[in-house]
Amino acid sequence: MKTVLASLSDKRPTADILVAGFFQKEKLHPKLASLDQPFFKLANLALENKRFEGKFSQTFSSYHPENQEASEVILLGLGQKKNYKKLCFRKASAQIAQLGKARKAKRIRILLESFVGGGVTLSEAVSILSEVPSLALYEFDKYKTKKKDEDSKEKKSARPEIIELLLTQNKIPAALNAQIETAHAVAEGINVARDLINEPANVMNPQKLAGEAKELAKKKKIRCEIIGEPELRRLKMGGILAVNQGSRTPAALIVLEYGERFKRNGTICLVGKGVTFDTGGISIKPAKDMEKMKYDMSGAATVIATLGVIADLKLPLHVVGLAPAVENMVAENPQRPGDIIRMYNGKSVEVLNTDAEGRLILADALAYSAKYKPSAIIDLATLTGMCAYTFGDKAIGLMGNDEKLLAKVKKAGAAAGERCWELPLWEEYGEQIKGHHSDLYNIGGPYGGTITAAMFLKEFVPEKTPWAHLDIAGTAWADSSRYDCVKGATGVGVRLLAELLSHWKK
Ligand code: BES
Ligand code: MN
Ligand code: ZN
């Protein structure tokens, strides 16, 4: 599916549907009159008789096989202009995609300017229409048995191929094409992350995840190094090794690198939790909803996908992605509660609960990032159930050690529609994770679990390095379908990071 721009004066093939927006209590877009005169009359009649009012998501359509523009013209209600925001248009864009799919439309023509107004500019509309349809039509159906009959062929071809944005101006601003490319790259990145996360854990084990990262790196022409178990042992990455101890698949530390070192903007390290399945280990999780724990590598998937996006966008940055990949299993020789392990940075940790494994692998990766002398570190992790209890699926839990970086992340999240909300990392919380026979415990008491998890991570962040931690436990998975995402992995974080890094300044 791709988005193209066209102007009224261009010669255009007939589309399958033409969609125009309509604001409640306003007039029909005047250009509709010349695009399809009979439809224009009908629609005005429908408006007069209140058969169509333009309430949000309401549609009015008519089939005109002889029409040059498109055989079917659809008016899409946008509600009142004063309430019209970017999110409204994101939802409308998803609806356009679904309307097109339902009609097996190949080419969807959109009267772009009819969707502009209220809180949506022309340039925002272009970006949104280049991003949302492919998110809305995303499906993870590779395991559905495909019948080798016509039906499945049709199913394959049911996706729209071209979304044509029709502009009334003759000269199309070149900047719009760049925006389309950016939006396509971001949408692709989000769907790449979703694919990695939705893949079940019997397939997506640590080695497979490493392989996927390698393949993406090759495709996007970025560097990739997989640090395997012998090397992890040599480096003394005690956290990663301990968590993976019960797995039959060797652990890996995935390292992706985009751009050159020592550029003006310094190096940015992105770190993602890659637990391909979290049983909890000996401190085993309850059976209910445990299947969801294949999503426990969402942070890693986001980091891997984001590096691909950055490469597509050719951002003038040096970005290193670090994704420790493990499996937290109950097996013959897993780690035990009470085990004391030595981490990469030399600190000792008493593992009071083997289900608090994410922080153990992130700790090693965070400490290892010192090698790159980063000017900022951002980690993403499905780290605590408590974060999901606190924010539901409405916000990412944001914590860190640098107000300026946190403000930047928060701003990017708001712009991307992936809101972040800060929790404090006051020193006093550190008391809870002070060890008895060791330097640190891997859990704090029963309260403030999202914060104590971050306090633990903080112990491993290289000194004097700005660091932001994003707990995506509540946002990385959709329990039910939404306008731009079916039930399953959301790919949260990719859009936020793309937004943040596109405007990055040290
Ligand atoms: N992957 C989980 C976090 C999680 C749990 C996300 C439930 C979504 C739903 C993480 O590894 C974990 O198990 N955290 C524990 C920490 C506890 C043992 C201190 C948790 O949140 O229960
Ligand atoms: Mn766990
Ligand atoms: Zn986990």
Side-chain angles (χ1 to χ4, degrees):
M1 197 161 38
K2 65 173 193 173
T3 319
V4 299
L5 293 163
S7 97
L8 270 182
S9 55
D10 287 342
K11 227 176 125 252
R12 308 181 296 280
T14 304
D16 301 295
I17 55 173
L18 167 68
V19 190
F22 178 77
F23 291 107
Q24 215 172 340
K25 297 185 181 138
E26 310 262 330
K27 293 235 165 334
L28 284 175
H29 194 279
K31 277 289 178 288
L32 217 45
S34 54
L35 291 173
D36 189 340
Q37 183 63 36
F39 178 82
F40 189 73
K41 279 190 183 156
L42 275 175
N44 270 318
L45 213 60
L47 283 166
E48 249 171 60
N49 296 319
K50 295 212 164 30
R51 288 293 295 268
F52 174 74
E53 293 174 85
K55 286 187 182 149
F56 190 73
S57 84
Q58 197 187 3
T59 56
F60 174 80
S61 76
S62 167
Y63 185 56
H64 291 218
E66 74 290 352
N67 181 27
Q68 255 297 111
E69 288 295 337
S71 50
E72 188 176 358
V73 185
I74 304 175
L75 265 187
L76 180 56
L78 300 175
Q80 292 188 36
K81 214 179 216 174
K82 65 175 197 307
N83 302 327
Y84 187 62
K85 299 182 191 73
K86 259 163 64 171
L87 181 62
C88 305
F89 185 56
R90 289 184 68 87
K91 289 183 178 169
S93 302
Q95 195 181 349
I96 292 171
Q98 300 295 359
L99 288 168
K101 187 182 165 195
R103 287 158 174 78
K104 298 189 170 63
K106 289 273 147 293
R107 189 183 196 92
I108 301 178
R109 176 162 292 149
I110 295 167
L111 184 56
L112 190 64
E113 281 135 25
S114 63
F115 290 93
V116 175
V120 179
T121 65
L122 182 83
S123 107
E124 283 166 347
V126 169
S127 292
I128 290 171
L129 269 172
S130 310
E131 184 197 309
V132 173
S134 47
L135 298 181
L137 297 184
Y138 170 86
E139 271 180 273
F140 186 74
D141 56 5
K142 63 189 275 199
Y143 292 105
K144 301 255 188 202
T145 311
K146 280 187 195 130
K147 290 173 206 87
K148 285 193 170 119
D149 55 24
E150 300 230 333
D151 247 343
S152 78
K153 261 189 226 147
E154 265 196 51
K155 186 165 176 257
K156 221 174 159 214
S157 62
R159 285 172 75 85
E161 278 161 14
I162 294 178
I163 297 190
E164 181 199 286
L165 312 182
L166 185 58
L167 289 154
T168 57
Q169 66 217 71
N170 284 338
K171 218 170 141 27
I172 293 173
L176 294 183
N177 278 310
Q179 272 181 254
I180 290 177
E181 273 178 42
T182 302
H184 280 171
V186 172
E188 183 196 307
I190 293 171
N191 286 341
V192 163
R194 289 175 178 179
D195 273 344
L196 292 173
I197 299 163
N198 284 327
E199 194 69 58
N202 58 330
V203 177
M204 189 55 69
N205 59 36
Q207 289 301 312
K208 171 79 172 164
L209 185 60
E212 291 289 325
K214 237 179 172 167
E215 212 163 283
L216 184 100
K218 205 167 144 202
K219 195 167 138 200
K220 305 288 182 186
K221 299 196 173 63
I222 55 181
R223 294 181 287 283
C224 178
E225 182 196 356
I226 305 299
I227 302 180
E229 275 205 358
E231 183 68 3
L232 289 170
R233 251 179 257 124
R234 209 182 58 74
L235 291 165
K236 300 200 169 69
M237 298 240 181
I240 295 177
L241 290 167
V243 174
N244 202 59
Q245 199 170 305
S247 172
R248 291 202 176 185
T249 312
L253 176 57
I254 300 163
V255 184
L256 292 167
E257 186 173 0
Y258 165 81
E260 297 304 324
R261 258 179 126 130
F262 304 129
K263 282 221 170 151
R264 170 166 43 95
N265 284 315
T267 297
I268 300 146
C269 280
L270 304 177
V271 182
K273 171 177 173 180
V275 177
T276 59
F277 196 78
D278 184 9
T279 65
I282 290 289
S283 316
I284 196 164
K285 286 184 180 299
K288 191 178 174 323
D289 296 332
M290 208 210 271
E291 76 282 355
K292 185 174 149 182
M293 283 302 136
K294 69 174 181 178
Y295 98 133
D296 214 17
M297 35 64 78
S298 295
T302 298
V303 167
I304 294 166
T306 300
L307 266 110
V309 176
I310 296 168
D312 282 345
L313 301 183
K314 301 190 174 63
L315 297 182
L317 298 172
H318 181 223
V319 184
V320 177
L322 297 166
V326 300
E327 195 179 29
N328 191 19
M329 298 297 276
V330 242
E332 208 168 81
N333 181 33
Q335 62 173 342
R336 294 146 291 253
D339 282 5
I340 298 179
I341 58 178
R342 177 107 26 218
M343 312 294 280
Y344 175 73
N345 76 348
K347 292 191 182 177
S348 63
V349 175
E350 205 167 338
V351 182
L352 294 190
N353 189 316
T354 62
D355 197 11
E357 85 297 340
R359 61 200 75 181
L360 298 176
I361 65 167
L362 287 171
D364 280 347
L366 286 167
Y368 184 72
S369 75
K371 170 177 166 181
Y372 298 95
K373 299 190 175 62
S375 51
I377 304 174
I378 300 163
D379 82 71
L380 299 100
T382 48
L383 203 61
T384 63
M386 195 69 89
C387 186
Y389 280 114
T390 305
F391 295 115
D393 61 359
K394 304 292 183 277
I396 293 168
L398 175 66
M399 287 142 277
N401 62 3
D402 184 270
E403 282 312 319
K404 263 168 79 184
L405 176 61
L406 292 179
K408 276 195 251 183
V409 172
K410 205 170 167 184
K411 190 171 162 218
E418 298 184 340
R419 277 183 297 205
C420 301
W421 204 258
E422 195 181 338
L423 295 170
L425 295 187
W426 295 316
E427 210 176 288
E428 290 84 342
Y429 286 111
E431 293 299 326
Q432 296 184 38
I433 53 166
K434 278 203 180 130
H436 178 52
H437 287 152
S438 63
D439 299 331
L440 296 164
Y441 286 142
N442 77 327
I443 55 170
Y447 306 115
T450 302
I451 294 172
T452 49
M455 289 302 286
F456 183 90
L457 297 182
K458 195 169 170 230
E459 297 286 328
F460 298 88
V461 173
E463 246 178 84
K464 296 199 183 87
T465 310
W467 156 72
H469 161 59
L470 280 68
D471 194 329
I472 54 172
T475 47
W477 189 264
D479 288 321
S480 57
S481 295
R482 315 171 186 159
Y483 77 92
D484 65 345
C485 181
V486 286
K487 178 179 170 180
T490 61
V492 74
V494 175
R495 194 180 321 120
L496 184 157
L497 290 174
E499 171 71 30
L500 177 70
L501 297 175
S502 296
H503 308 113
W504 184 262
K505 275 196 198 77
K506 200 152 97 176

